PDB file of all heavy atoms in Angstrom:
ATOM      1  N   LEU W 136     -20.641   0.605 -53.673  1.00 32.00           N
ATOM      2  CA  LEU W 136     -20.097  -0.653 -53.247  1.00 32.00           C
ATOM      3  C   LEU W 136     -19.677  -0.583 -51.782  1.00 32.00           C
ATOM      4  O   LEU W 136     -20.280   0.040 -50.971  1.00 32.00           O
ATOM      5  CB  LEU W 136     -18.933  -1.100 -54.132  1.00 32.00           C
ATOM      6  CG  LEU W 136     -19.391  -1.286 -55.654  1.00 32.00           C
ATOM      7  CD1 LEU W 136     -18.164  -1.624 -56.465  1.00 32.00           C
ATOM      8  CD2 LEU W 136     -20.433  -2.354 -55.752  1.00 32.00           C
ATOM      9  N   GLU W 137     -18.530  -1.282 -51.463  1.00 35.00           N
ATOM     10  CA  GLU W 137     -18.150  -1.384 -50.078  1.00 35.00           C
ATOM     11  C   GLU W 137     -17.546  -0.119 -49.501  1.00 35.00           C
ATOM     12  O   GLU W 137     -17.274  -0.016 -48.313  1.00 35.00           O
ATOM     13  CB  GLU W 137     -17.146  -2.500 -49.893  1.00 35.00           C
ATOM     14  CG  GLU W 137     -15.839  -2.327 -50.593  1.00 35.00           C
ATOM     15  CD  GLU W 137     -15.876  -2.967 -51.953  1.00 35.00           C
ATOM     16  OE1 GLU W 137     -16.976  -3.115 -52.518  1.00 35.00           O
ATOM     17  OE2 GLU W 137     -14.788  -3.375 -52.416  1.00 35.00           O
ATOM     18  N   LEU W 138     -17.297   0.909 -50.380  1.00 35.00           N
ATOM     19  CA  LEU W 138     -16.741   2.184 -49.925  1.00 35.00           C
ATOM     20  C   LEU W 138     -17.825   3.095 -49.391  1.00 35.00           C
ATOM     21  O   LEU W 138     -17.512   4.208 -48.897  1.00 35.00           O
ATOM     22  CB  LEU W 138     -15.990   2.850 -51.068  1.00 35.00           C
ATOM     23  CG  LEU W 138     -14.717   2.137 -51.527  1.00 35.00           C
ATOM     24  CD1 LEU W 138     -14.143   2.950 -52.675  1.00 35.00           C
ATOM     25  CD2 LEU W 138     -13.725   2.113 -50.400  1.00 35.00           C
ATOM     26  N   ARG W 139     -19.087   2.721 -49.464  1.00 34.00           N
ATOM     27  CA  ARG W 139     -20.181   3.631 -49.098  1.00 34.00           C
ATOM     28  C   ARG W 139     -20.000   4.136 -47.643  1.00 34.00           C
ATOM     29  O   ARG W 139     -19.986   5.296 -47.394  1.00 34.00           O
ATOM     30  CB  ARG W 139     -21.509   2.901 -49.227  1.00 34.00           C
ATOM     31  CG  ARG W 139     -22.712   3.753 -48.843  1.00 34.00           C
ATOM     32  CD  ARG W 139     -23.983   2.956 -48.937  1.00 34.00           C
ATOM     33  NE  ARG W 139     -24.118   2.320 -50.230  1.00 34.00           N
ATOM     34  CZ  ARG W 139     -24.740   2.968 -51.262  1.00 34.00           C
ATOM     35  NH1 ARG W 139     -25.168   4.187 -51.102  1.00 34.00           N
ATOM     36  NH2 ARG W 139     -24.898   2.342 -52.410  1.00 34.00           N
ATOM     37  N   GLU W 140     -19.915   3.207 -46.680  1.00 37.00           N
ATOM     38  CA  GLU W 140     -19.761   3.641 -45.280  1.00 37.00           C
ATOM     39  C   GLU W 140     -18.542   4.429 -45.015  1.00 37.00           C
ATOM     40  O   GLU W 140     -18.493   5.438 -44.312  1.00 37.00           O
ATOM     41  CB  GLU W 140     -19.865   2.413 -44.344  1.00 37.00           C
ATOM     42  CG  GLU W 140     -21.177   1.702 -44.381  1.00 37.00           C
ATOM     43  CD  GLU W 140     -21.210   0.610 -43.376  1.00 37.00           C
ATOM     44  OE1 GLU W 140     -20.206   0.421 -42.686  1.00 37.00           O
ATOM     45  OE2 GLU W 140     -22.215  -0.140 -43.324  1.00 37.00           O
ATOM     46  N   GLN W 141     -17.416   4.007 -45.651  1.00 40.00           N
ATOM     47  CA  GLN W 141     -16.099   4.724 -45.481  1.00 40.00           C
ATOM     48  C   GLN W 141     -16.225   6.142 -45.938  1.00 40.00           C
ATOM     49  O   GLN W 141     -15.813   7.048 -45.269  1.00 40.00           O
ATOM     50  CB  GLN W 141     -15.074   3.980 -46.234  1.00 40.00           C
ATOM     51  CG  GLN W 141     -13.712   4.678 -46.175  1.00 40.00           C
ATOM     52  CD  GLN W 141     -12.644   4.004 -47.067  1.00 40.00           C
ATOM     53  OE1 GLN W 141     -12.851   2.925 -47.526  1.00 40.00           O
ATOM     54  NE2 GLN W 141     -11.589   4.744 -47.313  1.00 40.00           N
ATOM     55  N   GLU W 142     -16.836   6.372 -47.098  1.00 38.00           N
ATOM     56  CA  GLU W 142     -16.940   7.714 -47.649  1.00 38.00           C
ATOM     57  C   GLU W 142     -17.823   8.585 -46.822  1.00 38.00           C
ATOM     58  O   GLU W 142     -17.590   9.757 -46.578  1.00 38.00           O
ATOM     59  CB  GLU W 142     -17.414   7.645 -49.104  1.00 38.00           C
ATOM     60  CG  GLU W 142     -16.404   6.990 -50.024  1.00 38.00           C
ATOM     61  CD  GLU W 142     -16.856   7.059 -51.431  1.00 38.00           C
ATOM     62  OE1 GLU W 142     -17.889   7.715 -51.713  1.00 38.00           O
ATOM     63  OE2 GLU W 142     -16.196   6.391 -52.266  1.00 38.00           O
ATOM     64  N   GLU W 143     -18.947   8.021 -46.362  1.00 36.00           N
ATOM     65  CA  GLU W 143     -19.877   8.833 -45.566  1.00 36.00           C
ATOM     66  C   GLU W 143     -19.283   9.189 -44.244  1.00 36.00           C
ATOM     67  O   GLU W 143     -19.541  10.286 -43.675  1.00 36.00           O
ATOM     68  CB  GLU W 143     -21.197   8.036 -45.352  1.00 36.00           C
ATOM     69  CG  GLU W 143     -21.977   7.866 -46.637  1.00 36.00           C
ATOM     70  CD  GLU W 143     -23.263   7.055 -46.423  1.00 36.00           C
ATOM     71  OE1 GLU W 143     -23.338   6.365 -45.331  1.00 36.00           O
ATOM     72  OE2 GLU W 143     -24.109   7.011 -47.273  1.00 36.00           O
ATOM     73  N   THR W 144     -18.415   8.344 -43.677  1.00 39.00           N
ATOM     74  CA  THR W 144     -17.770   8.588 -42.387  1.00 39.00           C
ATOM     75  C   THR W 144     -16.684   9.641 -42.542  1.00 39.00           C
ATOM     76  O   THR W 144     -16.576  10.513 -41.709  1.00 39.00           O
ATOM     77  CB  THR W 144     -17.133   7.276 -41.848  1.00 39.00           C
ATOM     78  OG1 THR W 144     -18.170   6.294 -41.684  1.00 39.00           O
ATOM     79  CG2 THR W 144     -16.455   7.571 -40.497  1.00 39.00           C
ATOM     80  N   GLN W 145     -15.904   9.569 -43.646  1.00 42.00           N
ATOM     81  CA  GLN W 145     -14.798  10.472 -43.775  1.00 42.00           C
ATOM     82  C   GLN W 145     -15.205  11.798 -44.314  1.00 42.00           C
ATOM     83  O   GLN W 145     -14.486  12.826 -44.101  1.00 42.00           O
ATOM     84  CB  GLN W 145     -13.758   9.839 -44.736  1.00 42.00           C
ATOM     85  CG  GLN W 145     -13.098   8.620 -44.206  1.00 42.00           C
ATOM     86  CD  GLN W 145     -12.071   8.039 -45.218  1.00 42.00           C
ATOM     87  OE1 GLN W 145     -12.031   8.479 -46.318  1.00 42.00           O
ATOM     88  NE2 GLN W 145     -11.372   7.065 -44.757  1.00 42.00           N
ATOM     89  N   GLY W 146     -16.263  11.954 -45.041  1.00 42.00           N
ATOM     90  CA  GLY W 146     -16.627  13.223 -45.667  1.00 42.00           C
ATOM     91  C   GLY W 146     -16.762  14.350 -44.649  1.00 42.00           C
ATOM     92  O   GLY W 146     -17.442  14.319 -43.666  1.00 42.00           O
ATOM     93  N   GLY W 147     -16.049  15.440 -44.943  1.00 41.00           N
ATOM     94  CA  GLY W 147     -16.134  16.642 -44.112  1.00 41.00           C
ATOM     95  C   GLY W 147     -15.525  16.507 -42.683  1.00 41.00           C
ATOM     96  O   GLY W 147     -15.821  17.323 -41.854  1.00 41.00           O
ATOM     97  N   SER W 148     -14.707  15.523 -42.470  1.00 40.00           N
ATOM     98  CA  SER W 148     -14.141  15.284 -41.132  1.00 40.00           C
ATOM     99  C   SER W 148     -13.230  16.368 -40.646  1.00 40.00           C
ATOM    100  O   SER W 148     -12.940  16.505 -39.497  1.00 40.00           O
ATOM    101  CB  SER W 148     -13.429  13.922 -41.056  1.00 40.00           C
ATOM    102  OG  SER W 148     -12.341  13.923 -41.939  1.00 40.00           O
ATOM    103  N   PHE W 149     -12.736  17.214 -41.568  1.00 39.00           N
ATOM    104  CA  PHE W 149     -11.782  18.237 -41.240  1.00 39.00           C
ATOM    105  C   PHE W 149     -12.428  19.498 -40.748  1.00 39.00           C
ATOM    106  O   PHE W 149     -11.793  20.422 -40.256  1.00 39.00           O
ATOM    107  CB  PHE W 149     -10.874  18.565 -42.411  1.00 39.00           C
ATOM    108  CG  PHE W 149     -11.624  19.200 -43.537  1.00 39.00           C
ATOM    109  CD1 PHE W 149     -11.751  20.557 -43.640  1.00 39.00           C
ATOM    110  CD2 PHE W 149     -12.223  18.384 -44.464  1.00 39.00           C
ATOM    111  CE1 PHE W 149     -12.459  21.147 -44.680  1.00 39.00           C
ATOM    112  CE2 PHE W 149     -12.895  18.988 -45.527  1.00 39.00           C
ATOM    113  CZ  PHE W 149     -13.048  20.345 -45.643  1.00 39.00           C
ATOM    114  N   LEU W 150     -13.749  19.607 -40.853  1.00 42.00           N
ATOM    115  CA  LEU W 150     -14.431  20.847 -40.512  1.00 42.00           C
ATOM    116  C   LEU W 150     -14.226  21.193 -39.053  1.00 42.00           C
ATOM    117  O   LEU W 150     -14.309  20.418 -38.140  1.00 42.00           O
ATOM    118  CB  LEU W 150     -15.952  20.692 -40.797  1.00 42.00           C
ATOM    119  CG  LEU W 150     -16.323  20.557 -42.279  1.00 42.00           C
ATOM    120  CD1 LEU W 150     -17.818  20.345 -42.405  1.00 42.00           C
ATOM    121  CD2 LEU W 150     -15.871  21.739 -43.077  1.00 42.00           C
ATOM    122  N   GLY W 151     -13.924  22.483 -38.857  1.00 50.00           N
ATOM    123  CA  GLY W 151     -13.786  22.966 -37.493  1.00 50.00           C
ATOM    124  C   GLY W 151     -12.394  22.785 -36.889  1.00 50.00           C
ATOM    125  O   GLY W 151     -12.160  23.204 -35.735  1.00 50.00           O
ATOM    126  N   THR W 152     -11.443  22.204 -37.603  1.00 61.00           N
ATOM    127  CA  THR W 152     -10.137  21.902 -37.054  1.00 61.00           C
ATOM    128  C   THR W 152      -9.079  22.881 -37.583  1.00 61.00           C
ATOM    129  O   THR W 152      -8.008  22.924 -37.082  1.00 61.00           O
ATOM    130  CB  THR W 152      -9.653  20.471 -37.346  1.00 61.00           C
ATOM    131  OG1 THR W 152      -9.583  20.307 -38.753  1.00 61.00           O
ATOM    132  CG2 THR W 152     -10.687  19.469 -36.790  1.00 61.00           C
ATOM    133  N   THR W 153      -9.372  23.581 -38.632  1.00 64.00           N
ATOM    134  CA  THR W 153      -8.398  24.529 -39.251  1.00 64.00           C
ATOM    135  C   THR W 153      -9.103  25.852 -39.551  1.00 64.00           C
ATOM    136  O   THR W 153     -10.307  25.926 -39.678  1.00 64.00           O
ATOM    137  CB  THR W 153      -7.841  23.961 -40.560  1.00 64.00           C
ATOM    138  OG1 THR W 153      -8.921  23.706 -41.490  1.00 64.00           O
ATOM    139  CG2 THR W 153      -7.108  22.637 -40.338  1.00 64.00           C
ATOM    140  N   LEU W 154      -8.244  26.845 -39.658  1.00 69.00           N
ATOM    141  CA  LEU W 154      -8.711  28.219 -39.982  1.00 69.00           C
ATOM    142  C   LEU W 154      -7.713  28.877 -40.866  1.00 69.00           C
ATOM    143  O   LEU W 154      -6.488  28.928 -40.573  1.00 69.00           O
ATOM    144  CB  LEU W 154      -8.931  29.010 -38.702  1.00 69.00           C
ATOM    145  CG  LEU W 154      -9.347  30.456 -38.859  1.00 69.00           C
ATOM    146  CD1 LEU W 154     -10.808  30.537 -39.425  1.00 69.00           C
ATOM    147  CD2 LEU W 154      -9.291  31.177 -37.513  1.00 69.00           C
ATOM    148  N   ARG W 155      -8.154  29.443 -42.008  1.00 70.00           N
ATOM    149  CA  ARG W 155      -7.237  30.140 -42.922  1.00 70.00           C
ATOM    150  C   ARG W 155      -7.016  31.569 -42.409  1.00 70.00           C
ATOM    151  O   ARG W 155      -7.931  32.276 -42.054  1.00 70.00           O
ATOM    152  CB  ARG W 155      -7.834  30.245 -44.314  1.00 70.00           C
ATOM    153  CG  ARG W 155      -7.899  28.853 -44.986  1.00 70.00           C
ATOM    154  CD  ARG W 155      -8.284  29.059 -46.446  1.00 70.00           C
ATOM    155  NE  ARG W 155      -8.569  27.776 -47.052  1.00 70.00           N
ATOM    156  CZ  ARG W 155      -9.774  27.211 -47.111  1.00 70.00           C
ATOM    157  NH1 ARG W 155     -10.786  27.790 -46.566  1.00 70.00           N
ATOM    158  NH2 ARG W 155      -9.902  26.018 -47.622  1.00 70.00           N
ATOM    159  N   VAL W 156      -5.762  32.026 -42.406  1.00 74.00           N
ATOM    160  CA  VAL W 156      -5.370  33.305 -41.969  1.00 74.00           C
ATOM    161  C   VAL W 156      -4.513  33.944 -43.030  1.00 74.00           C
ATOM    162  O   VAL W 156      -3.537  33.371 -43.413  1.00 74.00           O
ATOM    163  CB  VAL W 156      -4.674  33.325 -40.596  1.00 74.00           C
ATOM    164  CG1 VAL W 156      -4.255  34.710 -40.143  1.00 74.00           C
ATOM    165  CG2 VAL W 156      -5.519  32.675 -39.484  1.00 74.00           C
ATOM    166  N   ASN W 157      -4.858  35.174 -43.431  1.00 75.00           N
ATOM    167  CA  ASN W 157      -4.052  35.844 -44.395  1.00 75.00           C
ATOM    168  C   ASN W 157      -2.680  36.174 -43.805  1.00 75.00           C
ATOM    169  O   ASN W 157      -2.554  36.571 -42.643  1.00 75.00           O
ATOM    170  CB  ASN W 157      -4.736  37.212 -44.793  1.00 75.00           C
ATOM    171  CG  ASN W 157      -4.086  37.854 -45.961  1.00 75.00           C
ATOM    172  OD1 ASN W 157      -2.932  38.309 -45.860  1.00 75.00           O
ATOM    173  ND2 ASN W 157      -4.783  37.994 -47.019  1.00 75.00           N
ATOM    174  N   ILE W 158      -1.631  35.957 -44.580  1.00 77.00           N
ATOM    175  CA  ILE W 158      -0.258  36.117 -44.122  1.00 77.00           C
ATOM    176  C   ILE W 158      -0.026  37.566 -43.674  1.00 77.00           C
ATOM    177  O   ILE W 158       0.767  37.814 -42.768  1.00 77.00           O
ATOM    178  CB  ILE W 158       0.793  35.682 -45.185  1.00 77.00           C
ATOM    179  CG1 ILE W 158       2.212  35.636 -44.579  1.00 77.00           C
ATOM    180  CG2 ILE W 158       0.703  36.627 -46.388  1.00 77.00           C
ATOM    181  CD1 ILE W 158       2.382  34.555 -43.543  1.00 77.00           C
ATOM    182  N   GLN W 159      -0.678  38.501 -44.299  1.00 80.00           N
ATOM    183  CA  GLN W 159      -0.558  39.910 -43.888  1.00 80.00           C
ATOM    184  C   GLN W 159      -1.061  40.147 -42.462  1.00 80.00           C
ATOM    185  O   GLN W 159      -0.545  40.969 -41.728  1.00 80.00           O
ATOM    186  CB  GLN W 159      -1.247  40.838 -44.885  1.00 80.00           C
ATOM    187  CG  GLN W 159      -0.642  40.853 -46.262  1.00 80.00           C
ATOM    188  CD  GLN W 159      -1.390  41.719 -47.241  1.00 80.00           C
ATOM    189  OE1 GLN W 159      -2.516  42.102 -47.012  1.00 80.00           O
ATOM    190  NE2 GLN W 159      -0.741  42.052 -48.329  1.00 80.00           N
TER     191      GLN W 159
END
């Protein structure tokens, strides 16, 4: 339905902005 474009735009938008680091 009308969420098609919104979902395709938002999907995976966080890639490359964060990095997991072990607390140790």
Side-chain angles (χ1 to χ4, degrees):
L136 298 178
E137 64 268 27
L138 292 178
R139 181 183 304 272
E140 293 183 2
Q141 175 185 347
E142 293 185 7
E143 291 178 348
T144 301
Q145 292 179 351
S148 60
F149 65 92
L150 294 177
T152 62
T153 59
L154 177 67
R155 293 190 187 90
V156 178
N157 189 296
I158 190 66
Q159 293 179 344

